[in-house]
Amino acid sequence: MTTSPIHHTAAPRPGVDSAVQGVLAQLAGEPGALLPILHALQDALGYVPPDSVPAIADALNLSRAEVHGVISYYHHFRSSPPTPHTVQVCRAEACQSMGAEALLAHARQHLGCGLHAQSGDGVFTVEAAYCLGLCASSPAIAVDGQVHARMTPQKFDALVARVAHSREAA
Amino acid sequence: MSTVTLYVPCDSAALAVGADAVAERIAQEAAARGIDVHIVRNGSRGLFWLEPLVEVATPAGRVAYGPVAPSDVPKLFDAGLVTGGAHALCHGPTGAIPYLARQQRLTFARMGMTDPRSLADYQAYGGFDGLRNAIAMPPEAIVQTLIDSGLRGRGGAAFPAGIKWKTVAGAQAAQKYIVCNADEGDSGTFSDRMTMEGDPFMLIEGMAIAALAVGATQGYVYVRSEYPHAIATLNAAIALAEAGGFLGANVLGSGKAFHLQVRKGAGSYVCGEETALLESLEGKRGIVRAKPPLPALAGLFGQPTVINNVITLASVPIILARGAQFYRDFGVGRSHGTLPFQLAGNILHGGLVETAFGLTLRELLYDYGGGSATGRPIKAVQVGGPLGAYLPESQWDIPLDYEAYAAMGAGIGHGGIVVHDDQADLSQLARYAMEFCALESCGKCTPCRIGSTRGVEVIDKIRANNHKAEQVALLHDLCDTMVHGSLCAMGSMTPIPVTSALKHFPQDFGLAAPDRA
């Protein structure tokens, strides 16, 4: 996942700042607290805002470089807000044996996305995943964290249409 | 009519093919027909081609139906689902389905039988018998039982688990830890996920026994972020176990404390390597540590630490419940006990097959798996995850035993078996092995960090017929450097799929076919 450079000039945003302070108050005392803090922030905000790095570093007595290094090391953490919907297509060996590469190409083409990039309308992101643990029901995908197995291009199109429709209806 | 009990699995592999919608439809249909039903969300039996697998409790035992779609439900009720009536989707008594009946389920004996969040169900099927026995034993006797059982690490390295425990038990420290490696990143594996989603108390019990054996008071389960259902079930199970006195300040009145917490990974494959996992638990980048010191002596936060895979720890309760000899008597040679093999990829009947060591890949592929899903000939089988060898048909009759596999340059690893049919291009899969290593390398050592990227380039040149003979020689050299110069298994084992593909399937690289020696 791409990460932006560290910014610490952004104007304070009350929602983000209170989320960061709340998470730090709850978790900073845990042994090995950094990953739990980053997960809690991403769960609350959808991403780990780069301007939260100084506060996290301060609370854990780490350098900003160390915190940034951890955020950028792990594929899971995002440094920018996600699109409303994320499609993960597993491309590990078991899914490859059942046509995952063709499914991934279909997903990108259908949604008009580059890999790990947004669709033109900014609604979907297509990501590669490396094993969702559904290897006996390949190929597998996850849409917004919900898993779907024995996927075909036809089922994929129907699923995406349902997701897009539920968004328009909301 | 009295209440009818129906089972619809809550395992991810069932949810991913619509189990929730099936459960909902069953509830609606039963209500509409005035039938009183109790729907249990059980773990999966591991017969994934039949998921969603609906079972109904009858006086003669459970009867299975699958794969059930929501639209099948009304017709199933018409056919007498609630009494185990005949229907095209009916497979008869679940336990008599040959795939299940011929297995030797020890660790997975309860899998699919119980509600994973029910302490009562767990104990009705022998749960906590091992922990109760362990509490009555001196710690050295627990360790000796594990040594005598012959249990070896099921994560892949196959190191004797009891020896590891003995090292930690003998270390002097104010704080020791039990860490469960649940970063199951190997493609083709799902036995850890099934355990956490389908029988989580078994893992909790195994960790509590480990804690008593070595004198640890704190444990962590490091679960990959790709497993949200496993994390949720495990957290619920830990809360129930605490409330029931099986965890906490005074484990079952023993006077010993053991606290357990789930920690979530963040999408790094190399964190399945034990020292990288410990770094990650400490809140750092998942960079591999040089050994020594061994984690058993200086592990989490520098303290003595037992770090074992989910299946290793989940195998402990039955060993303590039934005795070392009971477990040791399964298997062959120095591979004692059973392994939950995971049949995956292009296979007709994919799922979980727990048997004693010693059966052959051919038996798994055809007697259990029923051949490929596409109906085409099976070409290559990767055993042991992304770092495992690609085996051609000439090697499918070797018994699955750690030593026999090592002797042919392969490994059993975590028991994942990924099947490819004759449309697979092994040069493409070899390239993928290097690409995956480049993506997931922690970057600490050069052979892995740089070698994997060079490996992709060299294989691309071979595939493009660009100075092929020289590039093949270079690829062998590069693999040799990675094998001998890398710190951990990521760099040192990535060459295994590459060189096995090259050796056994040279025609896919545009090279002459192998000698039939």
Side-chain angles (χ1 to χ4, degrees), chain B residues 434-447:
Chain B
M434 286 291 190
E435 183 192 355
F436 184 66
C437 183
L439 192 67
E440 295 296 333
S441 174
C442 82
K444 179 155 181 164
C445 66
T446 314

Side-chain angles (χ1 to χ4, degrees), chain B residues 193-210:
Chain B
R193 182 186 61 66
M194 285 182 74
T195 300
M196 293 184 282
E197 293 181 357
D199 200 6
F201 295 120
M202 173 169 62
L203 174 59
I204 292 169
E205 183 181 356
M207 292 183 75
I209 295 168

Side-chain angles (χ1 to χ4, degrees), chain B residues 56-77:
Chain B
V56 57
T58 75
R62 291 196 201 172
V63 175
Y65 297 82
V68 177
S71 56
D72 295 322
V73 170
K75 286 199 175 109
L76 283 171
F77 271 88

Side-chain angles (χ1 to χ4, degrees), chain B residues 338-424:
Chain B
T338 59
L339 188 69
F341 293 99
Q342 300 128 83
L343 264 179
N346 195 332
I347 188 88
L348 189 60
H349 297 157
L352 187 118
V353 180
E354 181 178 356
T355 73
F357 288 94
L359 85 169
T360 67
L361 201 50
R362 193 182 298 279
E363 290 173 84
L364 276 174
L365 296 176
Y366 294 100
D367 298 354
Y368 285 95
S372 73
T374 47
R376 303 182 66 95
I378 295 174
K379 176 176 178 176
V381 183
Q382 189 176 28
V383 179
L387 310 178
Y390 283 104
L391 305 181
E393 186 170 1
S394 60
Q395 295 182 324
W396 297 349
D397 297 304
I398 309 287
L400 281 149
D401 145 22
Y402 290 125
E403 277 65 43
Y405 262 58
M408 63 174 179
I412 293 175
H414 186 48
I417 290 167
V418 176
V419 180
H420 294 269
D421 73 10
D422 64 349
Q423 291 183 305

Side-chain angles (χ1 to χ4, degrees), chain B residues 43-320:
Chain B
S44 172
R45 299 279 194 152
L47 283 58
F48 289 128
W49 76 99
L50 294 179
E51 292 290 359
L53 181 82
V54 175
E55 290 178 85
V56 57
T58 75
R62 291 196 201 172
V63 175
Y65 297 82
V68 177
S71 56
D72 295 322
V73 170
K75 286 199 175 109
L76 283 171
F77 271 88
D78 290 346
L81 168 71
V82 295
T83 53
H87 184 275
L89 294 177
C90 182
H91 302 278
T94 316
I97 296 173
Y99 195 89
L100 206 49
R102 63 199 303 185
Q103 297 191 29
Q104 292 164 302
R105 287 199 168 182
L106 303 184
T107 310
F108 277 66
R110 255 181 319 263
M111 191 61 64
M113 305 294 288
T114 58
D115 171 351
R117 301 186 187 210
S118 164
L119 278 169
D121 275 13
Y122 183 63
Q123 294 179 90
Y125 288 90
F128 294 119
D129 288 356
L131 180 59
R132 289 196 170 91
N133 287 346
I135 283 171
M137 293 161 73
E140 312 79 63
I142 304 174
V143 172
Q144 194 58 47
T145 300
L146 203 66
I147 292 173
D148 294 343
S149 75
L151 178 68
R152 292 163 70 175
R154 299 291 190 239
F159 186 80
I163 303 294
K164 195 183 265 191
W165 286 23
K166 191 174 184 180
T167 309
V168 178
Q172 297 300 314
Q175 177 71 61
K176 297 179 187 178
Y177 296 101
I178 309 296
V179 173
C180 174
N181 182 345
D183 195 48
E184 184 178 52
D186 285 1
S187 177
T189 65
F190 42 78
S191 60
D192 295 354
R193 182 186 61 66
M194 285 182 74
T195 300
M196 293 184 282
E197 293 181 357
D199 200 6
F201 295 120
M202 173 169 62
L203 174 59
I204 292 169
E205 183 181 356
M207 292 183 75
I209 295 168
L212 292 171
V214 305
T217 54
Q218 177 68 49
Y220 293 98
V221 187
Y222 184 94
V223 189
R224 61 201 299 260
S225 55
E226 292 85 345
Y227 282 0
H229 294 291
I231 292 170
T233 307
L234 207 46
N235 274 321
I238 289 171
L240 288 166
E242 277 171 1
F246 301 99
L247 289 174
N250 185 7
V251 173
L252 281 183
S254 63
K256 309 258 177 69
F258 184 56
H259 303 278
L260 189 54
Q261 231 188 63
V262 174
R263 285 290 176 91
K264 187 169 155 185
S268 164
Y269 175 76
V270 81
C271 285
E273 196 282 334
E274 60 180 11
T275 62
L277 188 154
L278 294 173
E279 289 286 300
S280 186
L281 265 181
E282 291 181 8
K284 302 171 190 162
R285 294 184 292 150
I287 305 283
V288 172
R289 296 177 184 168
K291 289 190 275 193
L294 294 171
L297 296 172
L300 185 61
F301 302 113
Q303 302 304 308
T305 302
V306 167
I307 176 164
N308 282 139
N309 168 257
V310 172
I311 300 299
T312 313
L313 290 162
S315 302
V316 170
I318 194 167
I319 292 169
L320 269 292

